[in-house]
Amino acid sequence: MSFSEDEIAFRDSVRRVVEKHVAPIAAEIDANDRFPEELVKLFGEMGLMQLWVPEKYGGPNGNLTMMCIAREEVSRVSPACGSIAGLNTMFIMPLLHFGTEAQRARFLPVIARGGVVTAIAISEPQAGSDVGAMSTRAVKDGDSYVLNGRKQWCSYGVVADYIVLMARTSGESGAEGISAFILEPKKMKGITFGRHERKMGWRGAPNTPIFLDDVRVPAENLVGEEGKGFRASMRALDLNRPTIGAQSVGLAQGALDAAVAYAKERRQFKRAIAEFQGLQFMLADMVMQIEAARALVYECARAGDAGDWQRLNVLASMAKCFASDVAMKVTTDAVQVFGGYGYTMDYPVERMMRDAKLAQIFEGTNQIQRMVIARDLLR
C-alpha cells in the first residue's frame, strides 16, 4: 500500500505508542474484560479519539485513510483498543452531515479537546440487521422529546459522555420515521444500563443494554430533521465499516507476525517448522490474503476521502466483509501453526482468533454486506 510521507510518519508514531502502551496491557485487558481508561487519556492527547473533528472546531482534521491507519496499527495487538482510536467518529458523522451548525459548535469543540467518550445506539433486541424494526419511541412534548425503549449492543455507551441514539418519531416500522437524538447519559434522568455482555472476544470494549424510561431530551438535541435518523446512521456506518476492515487487517497481520516468529523458533524433526513446505504454503496464503484485504480497505478509504459516496457504499461493504473473513481465516491458521500451544492462553493467537469472530458480525453481518454488494451488482 502506497502512503504519503505524512501518512507514513503518522503510522510510525502510532506504531511506537502501540508498542509502548498497548502491547503490554493487551492480554490483561482481555483476561479481565477491563475498559482501558488510561488509553482514553493517551489517545485523546494524541488526537486519535477525535481524529475526524474538523480544524475549525479545534480538531485534528483527519480523514478516513488516517482512521484506517490508526485502527490497523493498534489492532495488531488489540482490536478492542483499536476501537478507541477514532472512537468518536460514529458520534461526529451524523452531526457533520445532518446536524445544525449550532450543534456542531456546541459539541465538536468539547470532543476536540480529547478524553471525551461518545457512542451511537442503533440496535435493539429485535432490531439488529433490520434497523427499520426498532421500537424505541420519541414523542414530542413542548420543547422536548420524551424517549422510551431499549437499546442493545451499544459499544462504550455505559462510559459515554454523549450518545447519538436512534428512536422512532412516527410510524410503526420501516426506515421512515426514525430520528436521531443526542443524549447526555451522565446528566439526563431515566437512563439506566443493564449487565455488561459477557463476550467471547473483543473484551475490554464494553457492550451494555440501555434502558430509557421517560427520558426528556431538549428539542435542540434532535439531529437534523425528524425522520432523517436512518440516513444519518447509514452514512455513519458507511464511513465506519472500512475502519472495521482496517482493524481486521491489523488483527490478521498481528497473527501472521506471531506465526512467522514462532515457525522460525519451533523445532521438530531437528529443523525449524518454517522449513516444511506445507507450513510455508499456509504462511504464503496468509500474507496474500492480508495484502489483498489491505489494498481493498485503503481503496475504500480513498473513495471516502474523495467524497465518492456511491462508490463508498459498496466498497465499504466489500472491505468490511472481505477483511473480516480474512482475519477469521488467518487467525485460525495462526492457531494451527502454533499447534497445541496455539490453543492455550499463554500465546496471543488464541485471543486473536476469538477477537476475529466479532468482526464478521457487528457493523452489519457479513451476510448483510453480501446482500448490499449483490444488489449493487445486479442493479
Side-chain angles (χ1 to χ4, degrees):
M1 186 64 213
S2 177
F3 293 123
S4 69
E5 289 185 9
D6 287 345
E7 289 167 344
I8 291 172
F10 175 72
R11 181 198 66 191
D12 292 346
S13 68
V14 175
R15 187 172 294 179
R16 288 192 296 269
V17 168
V18 169
E19 291 173 355
K20 182 177 181 180
H21 296 283
V22 184
I25 64 173
E28 180 267 318
I29 288 170
D30 175 75
N32 297 320
D33 199 9
R34 178 181 69 84
F35 174 58
E37 294 183 16
E38 64 270 34
L39 293 185
V40 172
K41 183 177 185 296
L42 176 63
F43 286 6
E45 291 172 350
M46 293 178 62
L48 291 182
M49 288 188 67
Q50 67 275 35
L51 194 58
W52 219 320
V53 177
E55 188 175 7
K56 67 178 289 189
Y57 302 106
N61 202 42
N63 57 22
L64 186 51
T65 297
M66 293 177 69
M67 274 279 300
C68 288
I69 290 171
R71 285 197 164 181
E72 179 185 345
E73 290 303 317
V74 183
S75 297
R76 288 184 183 217
V77 298
S78 171
C81 295
S83 297
I84 301 174
L87 177 62
N88 295 321
T89 300
M90 292 289 279
F91 180 87
I92 292 167
M93 282 304 146
L95 268 65
L96 288 178
H97 293 281
F98 298 94
T100 65
E101 180 55 33
Q103 289 171 339
R104 290 189 284 270
R106 177 184 169 193
F107 293 105
L108 296 187
V110 176
I111 293 171
R113 291 197 292 267
V116 176
V117 178
T118 63
I120 187 167
I122 303 173
S123 296
E124 297 180 4
Q126 301 303 321
S129 297
D130 183 9
V131 176
M134 73 170 58
S135 59
T136 296
R137 187 165 291 276
V139 178
K140 187 74 180 293
D141 182 28
D143 59 357
S144 301
Y145 287 85
V146 178
L147 276 61
N148 284 281
R150 173 181 176 176
K151 291 294 177 180
Q152 196 79 12
W153 308 115
C154 181
S155 299
Y156 302 98
V158 70
V159 292
D161 299 285
Y162 305 107
I163 301 174
V164 168
L165 183 139
M166 305 296 162
R168 184 168 298 285
T169 47
S170 64
E172 297 299 326
S173 63
E176 296 298 324
I178 296 174
S179 302
F181 297 88
I182 300 172
L183 271 60
E184 301 176 62
K186 296 178 180 179
K187 297 180 180 179
M188 294 177 176
K189 296 180 180 180
I191 302 174
T192 56
F193 297 92
R195 187 197 70 178
H196 286 261
E197 299 293 349
R198 298 177 293 175
K199 297 176 296 184
M200 177 172 69
W202 220 284
R203 292 161 60 82
N207 292 92
T208 312
I210 304 175
F211 300 98
L212 308 164
D213 184 14
D214 288 336
V215 179
R216 188 167 291 274
V217 180
E220 59 262 29
N221 284 29
L222 171 69
V223 180
E225 304 172 22
E226 279 196 15
K228 302 299 183 183
F230 181 80
R231 286 181 58 202
S233 62
M234 291 303 103
R235 175 63 59 83
L237 289 169
D238 280 347
L239 287 163
N240 201 56
R241 279 177 181 144
T243 73
I244 304 304
Q247 287 181 264
S248 299
V249 169
L251 177 58
Q253 185 68 57
L256 174 64
D257 292 345
V260 169
Y262 183 81
K264 290 178 178 179
E265 296 174 359
R266 173 69 169 167
R267 298 183 66 83
Q268 291 287 276
F269 306 101
K270 299 181 180 180
R271 41 199 294 214
I273 63 173
E275 296 180 28
F276 292 99
Q277 190 178 66
L279 191 137
Q280 291 175 357
F281 284 1
M282 283 181 67
L283 296 175
D285 284 341
M286 291 160 76
V287 73
M288 284 191 291
Q289 292 162 358
I290 291 169
E291 288 300 330
R294 181 177 287 118
L296 181 55
V297 164
Y298 287 101
E299 177 65 17
C300 179
R302 301 299 189 199
D305 291 338
D308 190 347
W309 303 118
Q310 183 174 354
R311 193 158 175 263
L312 173 67
N313 177 258
V314 67
L315 281 178
S317 290
M318 289 181 179
K320 187 271 179 184
C321 183
F322 183 71
S324 59
D325 282 350
V326 164
M328 193 71 252
K329 178 68 165 62
V330 168
T331 55
T332 301
D333 286 348
V335 170
Q336 191 71 22
V337 170
F338 275 74
Y341 290 114
Y343 203 65
T344 71
M345 294 183 182
D346 297 323
Y347 292 87
V349 290
E350 171 270 342
R351 165 169 51 87
M352 291 171 168
M353 181 178 170
R354 288 188 286 107
D355 285 342
K357 186 62 216 174
L358 181 60
Q360 294 180 305
I361 298 172
F362 79 148
E363 295 285 332
T365 66
N366 283 5
Q367 287 72 28
I368 289 292
Q369 306 312 322
R370 286 178 166 86
M371 289 172 59
V372 172
I373 296 163
R375 285 172 181 170
D376 180 81
L377 180 66
L378 298 171
R379 187 168 54 200

